[in-house]
Amino acid sequence: MRVLMFGWEFPPHISGGLGTACYGLVKGMVHHNQEVIFVVPKLWGDEEELADFVNASDITIDYREKKFKSIWKNLTYLEVSSFLVPYLGPEEYQKFTDYAIHDRTDVDESIFTTKYEFSGKYGKNLMEEVSRYALTAAQIARDRDDYEIIHAHDWLSFPAGIAAKEISGKPLVAHVHATEYDRSGESVNKPVFEIEKAGMEAADHVVAVSQLTKNTIIRRYGIPAEKVSVLHNAVLDASIIKSKYVKKVPEKIVTFLGRITFQKGPEYFVEAAKKVLDRDENVRFVMAGSGDLLNRMIDRVAELRMGHKFHFTGFLKGEDVDHMYAISDVYIMPSVSEPFGIAPLEAVRHNTPTVISKQSGVAEVLQNAIKIDYWDVDAMADATFALLHYQGISKMFKELGSEELKNLKWEHVAARLVKIYEKTLAQ
């Protein structure tokens, strides 16, 4: 089978879990001898040659075709006053300044040049790029006929998937890695919600990364349950990583690693840290990441007078992430609403005991972790204290967790995805 797949990023140039998931899925597809045409806004030239990559920045669009005009009329366009990333908290969404349906005459003419150089980033022209990406997708879908099905990842690529389906008439699978309700709670950004809803409605089938996400899709977006399949994420390598990296401090280390945004629940991590330190001062807490709540977390740590035991590293990538897991005695993911959450699986690979919120998709597949409600900072503190002080508990989770990873491989996920493709084509 040959799949025309639209994503927004691909390793090594990524901003979060979306790019990692795309990489794992494509690698799993290759394992099963499936062919993928993977389209991204911008290629950097150092991507692993797993797919037939298409650089959207190289595509020339022929505007003489009437269908391109009709596609553009159906696209939404946002003007954004500051930089953003694919998963935003409510504070960042307040910076969105305008929303309108645009026709060809009332946008910058640069979007209608025959070729468009995508930034490949999440800057202030993001929604212009999302719209242009959809036009480019239509051109690619028209020019190529060597694929059977279309697959689009998350809201950034949904308009592209819709446009490709309109041009080609081939079925579309919409892959939901996160919803606007995960990112913002009840303070949803209406335009992004509408893009998500349109993508799911236009799709012939919807893939959700967890049952938690499927429930949201059914309840919040009105998509029929029979149209949605659950396909959990996995790990690229199930083997345990034995790092030689040694921590430079004598204390135990407890780590939060992720975006410092509403969705990830960083404030609960800070409050639990205070409760642990009240019982044992021989612990250091690390918050690794960046996001709109970073300054607020720094202020709260100062208010609680634990700055000497609390460290903010900023955004980590590559080997720095591996080193952080390696020196951590406990990893905590206190997410308020986590569609899946690959980070705990990576922590397990590094033999790091984990505490995860029950409000996460990974809790559906990772049995050997301590699960708490994100808001229950007392339970979070108790779990952390136990893992730090009772070696029998810590050892048990390390051993059982490593065994559990063997069933969480991307090739297993890809095999199930192929069956979803076959079912969708049959229908």
Side-chain angles (χ1 to χ4, degrees), residues 71-83:
I71 288 173
W72 175 249
K73 284 178 180 290
N74 292 326
L75 292 175
T76 56
Y77 175 76
L78 275 173
E79 292 181 6
V80 185
S81 61
S82 64
F83 292 102

Side-chain angles (χ1 to χ4, degrees), residues 19-30:
T20 302
C22 288
Y23 175 82
L25 198 57
V26 170
K27 198 164 187 176
M29 295 280 285
V30 172

Side-chain angles (χ1 to χ4, degrees), residues 17 19 66 71-72 128 170 230 276 359 403:
K66 291 182 180 179
I71 288 173
W72 175 249
E128 177 182 310
K170 294 182 180 180
V230 173
V276 172
Q359 292 74 25
E403 282 298 312

Side-chain angles (χ1 to χ4, degrees), residues 125-235:
N125 296 324
L126 176 63
M127 296 309 293
E128 177 182 310
E129 294 202 353
V130 168
S131 298
R132 174 66 191 216
Y133 189 43
L135 293 177
T136 305
Q139 186 74 51
I140 294 168
R142 192 199 67 172
D143 292 347
R144 303 188 67 145
D145 59 2
D146 55 342
Y147 61 94
E148 299 162 70
I149 196 165
I150 302 161
H151 188 143
H153 292 278
D154 254 12
W155 69 273
L156 293 160
S157 301
F158 283 177
I162 294 171
K165 178 181 177 178
E166 287 183 8
I167 285 288
S168 68
K170 294 182 180 180
L172 168 65
V173 172
H175 202 140
V176 182
H177 297 263
T179 71
E180 181 56 10
Y181 287 94
D182 298 306
R183 292 183 289 267
S184 304
E186 295 299 321
S187 304
V188 296
N189 181 271
K190 191 167 182 281
V192 175
F193 165 81
E194 290 175 348
I195 291 174
E196 291 177 331
K197 193 172 193 297
M200 294 181 216
E201 289 177 342
D204 296 273
H205 201 79
V206 178
V207 171
V209 294
S210 64
Q211 185 63 47
L212 182 76
T213 302
K214 178 176 179 177
N215 293 343
T216 300
I217 290 170
I218 295 168
R219 186 174 70 255
R220 301 286 197 171
Y221 295 82
I223 306 300
E226 60 272 16
K227 187 179 175 179
V228 187
S229 294
V230 173
L231 204 62
H232 292 108
N233 287 335
V235 289

Side-chain angles (χ1 to χ4, degrees), residues 381-394:
D382 288 343
T384 303
F385 187 86
L387 288 171
L388 291 175
H389 290 85
Y390 301 106
Q391 293 305 310
I393 297 176
S394 179

Side-chain angles (χ1 to χ4, degrees), residues 210-267:
S210 64
Q211 185 63 47
L212 182 76
T213 302
K214 178 176 179 177
N215 293 343
T216 300
I217 290 170
I218 295 168
R219 186 174 70 255
R220 301 286 197 171
Y221 295 82
I223 306 300
E226 60 272 16
K227 187 179 175 179
V228 187
S229 294
V230 173
L231 204 62
H232 292 108
N233 287 335
V235 289
L236 294 171
D237 186 347
S239 62
I240 296 299
I241 297 172
K242 296 180 179 180
S243 175
K244 294 181 180 179
Y245 193 76
V246 180
K247 65 181 177 182
K248 307 297 195 298
V249 295
E251 297 97 332
K252 297 291 183 67
I253 294 177
V254 179
T255 299
F256 169 106
L257 197 155
R259 294 185 311 278
I260 306 176
T261 61
F262 160 82
Q263 180 188 352
K264 299 296 184 178
E267 60 268 44

